[in-house]
Amino acid sequence: MKHYTLITHRGSFVTLPSSTSFENIQKLVGGYVAYVRHPKQISGQMAVNEDGIMLRLPSNIIASVIAGEPLLGDVVLIQTKKQYEKLAPQDVLNPVVNTLKEVSSNV
């Protein structure tokens, strides 16, 4: 069973149904899908918009930190149940996201 987490470019985490289809992932990332394999911080793979640079999608700082490389737009993290139970992205990154949101709102 797969576990899907949408990581929006605004820093939100949305748990998706385990029945999420490839077509749904395409809609979520806004176009053709490219995969980033073996994110450095969390096991799994990430689905991104293949044309993110050409479309000038906004930076996704949280997904970039997880992947260890710059990513653009909304991203879907795909993990096995075992990978997710070992380390869910929001467990690690929610404190970071909350701090970034607080700092940016004070600027």
Side-chain angles (χ1 to χ4, degrees), residues 49-81:
N49 186 310
E50 184 175 316
D51 300 317
I53 293 172
M54 184 178 70
L55 296 171
R56 297 182 179 196
L57 295 179
S59 295
N60 189 323
I61 295 170
I62 301 304
S64 297
V65 168
I66 293 171
E69 64 180 274
L71 297 177
L72 304 173
D74 294 340
V75 172
V76 178
L77 175 63
I78 305 164
Q79 297 175 290
T80 65
K81 183 178 179 183

Side-chain angles (χ1 to χ4, degrees), residues 41-43 77 79 82-89 91-92:
Q41 303 299 322
I42 297 174
S43 296
L77 175 63
Q79 297 175 290
K82 184 177 179 181
Q83 289 170 328
Y84 181 79
E85 287 173 349
K86 182 177 179 183
L87 193 59
D91 294 340
V92 175

Side-chain angles (χ1 to χ4, degrees), residues 6-18:
L6 174 65
I7 305 170
T8 70
H9 68 276
R10 297 182 190 274
S12 298
F13 296 96
V14 180
T15 300
L16 304 172
S18 60

